[in-house]
Structures are given as C-alpha cells and as structure tokens.
Amino acid sequence: GDSIHEVMSTAFPITCLVPGPWPDAAKAPMLGHGWSVTWIENDGQFGHAFAGTGFPASLVGELDRCPGALIVEGQVDPLSDSAQLVTLARALLGESALAVRVEQSRAGWTAADWCALLSAGQLMRALVVLVSDDERITSCGMHVFGLADAEVDDVDEGSRLVDALCTYQINERPLLLSGHTFRPDDDAPMRTLERWPDGSFPQTHPSWNPFGVWRLQARSDRR
C-alpha cells in the first residue's frame, strides 16, 4: 500500500557541491542561516562532476582551476520557504562561487544561473533532473521537496509526462495514491499511477528517494 505523505512545513536535506576560489578551509566563507560548510580540495574531478549538467562545457576549464569547493549542507522546504534557497544562492554568488551542483539530483549550474532560476521560481529546473536510457525516463531529486519521483517506459513522450507530473506535484501539492490516473493534457491518454520504492540507488546514496517513485503505466482501455 501507499505510504501517504502530505507536504507540510517540513525541511528536507539538501547538499550542494560549490567550486570556487577559496584556497583552503581558513578562507572558506561561513554562510550562516543553518547551513554547514566544509571546504574540500580540488581532486581533479570537478569538471567531470559537472559533465552533462546545465553547466556550460566552455567553462569546464575554470572548474578545473578552482583550488577547492564548498560542501554546503542544510535542511529546507523549497515549497514553503524557497526564499531560504534564494538567500543561499545570492550568498554564494557574493562569495564568488563559480558553480553549484545539487547532490540529491546532480543538477548542476553556474552559480549565477542557479540563482536566477531560484529567484524566478523555477524550482524544478534548479533542483531536479530528468534521466533517460534506452527504455525509460525518470526524474531524480524530487525528495528535496518531500515528494516521489516519476518514471515512465516511453522514451518518446516520457520527458513531457515526467516533467508534467513532477510540476503538478510541486505546484498543486495533490494527495496521490496508487490507482489514481494522470495525463498532462486532454489530448494525451490517461496513465495509471503506481507507487514503487526507489530502486535506482542504494539507501545510503544522496539521490535515493525515501518517498519512492510514481510509475506512469499505460492503460489498456486508452481512455
């Protein structure tokens, strides 16, 4: 059966990798507002860490020249207190951060782009990614909102379906249960929702979603 989760004013863990110009732990900024900050030395993998994200490939060389990065950890509820994330993003920009990667989803951006997305209320783009393989499309990172991810075995329409369901959860905060139906618009066929545990990651991995995954199943009656 479903573990019913209603989104309340509850904070959820978020961790960010933030490359920047700080040469050692003594020079690393303190951000306050409940955020813990740890400085790590550049291990030569910063560019690789941002590969395939929203971070521009043309700036990867700047990542590789950063002496280190901040690991920023905290608790936040983006749905009821997005201003907390905007404040963090602006503080990181003020400290000359170059990039931000959200460890729960591997969403990566320049620090300026991340701040702009959050300031514009584009929370899903800032915090969640869509992952595709030859068979399915899956979202990753919805547990930052305290919500289940979405998955569909349809590489042609999958991105639109998954994006629509995730956006619907974020904007409308519905109480969804297995057996409920969903479609992104009146022209699309209904899909049946089934809640499954997240089997994509081990439970110790930051991308593991404790709220599970909504699988969008095709309906045989096509209504």
Side-chain angles (χ1 to χ4, degrees):
D2 284 294
S3 174
I4 299 174
H5 175 74
E6 296 186 65
V7 177
M8 308 291 284
S9 293
T10 303
F12 305 98
I14 184 169
T15 304
C16 297
L17 171 69
V18 186
W22 318 285
D24 52 44
K27 299 292 179 61
M30 301 301 294
L31 298 172
H33 302 287
W35 299 103
S36 70
V37 177
T38 305
W39 180 87
I40 60 170
E41 186 177 358
N42 192 340
D43 60 358
Q45 296 296 310
F46 285 0
H48 177 74
F50 282 82
T53 71
F55 188 86
S58 60
L59 299 180
V60 167
E62 293 187 35
L63 288 176
D64 292 334
R65 288 189 290 272
C66 289
L70 309 178
I71 302 295
V72 181
E73 298 177 276
Q75 301 268 334
V76 67
D77 180 5
L79 292 178
S80 65
D81 191 12
S82 61
Q84 185 180 352
L85 282 175
V86 174
T87 299
L88 171 64
R90 289 174 177 169
L92 291 172
L93 266 182
E95 296 290 347
S96 301
L98 177 61
V100 178
R101 189 181 78 168
V102 179
E103 297 300 278
Q104 279 72 17
S105 64
R106 300 301 195 264
W109 301 95
T110 67
D113 285 346
W114 198 61
C115 186
L117 288 170
L118 291 170
S119 298
Q122 297 187 45
L123 298 176
M124 185 173 159
R125 282 198 70 202
L127 302 173
V128 178
V129 300
L130 301 189
V131 181
S132 63
D133 59 23
D134 292 335
E135 298 179 352
R136 65 185 59 84
I137 305 290
T138 308
S139 68
C140 182
M142 287 292 286
H143 50 305
V144 170
F145 298 95
L147 297 169
D149 276 293
E151 178 180 284
V152 64
D153 293 337
D154 185 338
V155 294
D156 295 323
E157 290 292 315
S159 294
R160 186 170 74 99
L161 292 167
V162 168
D163 182 85
L165 179 56
C166 291
T167 301
Y168 174 56
Q169 289 191 88
I170 291 170
N171 291 343
E172 303 296 331
R173 311 188 195 191
L175 175 59
L176 299 176
L177 297 172
S178 290
H180 284 183
T181 56
F182 176 81
R183 59 181 174 181
D185 55 59
D186 291 342
D187 296 326
M190 281 289 190
R191 299 271 180 161
T192 300
L193 300 178
E194 292 184 4
R195 177 83 73 94
W196 285 74
D198 182 3
S200 299
F201 303 94
Q203 293 188 16
T204 54
H205 195 284
S207 294
W208 178 72
N209 191 331
F211 303 98
V213 179
W214 289 115
R215 291 186 179 174
L216 289 145
Q217 306 284 17
R219 287 169 54 129
S220 58
D221 58 16
R222 304 299 291 174
R223 288 185 296 178

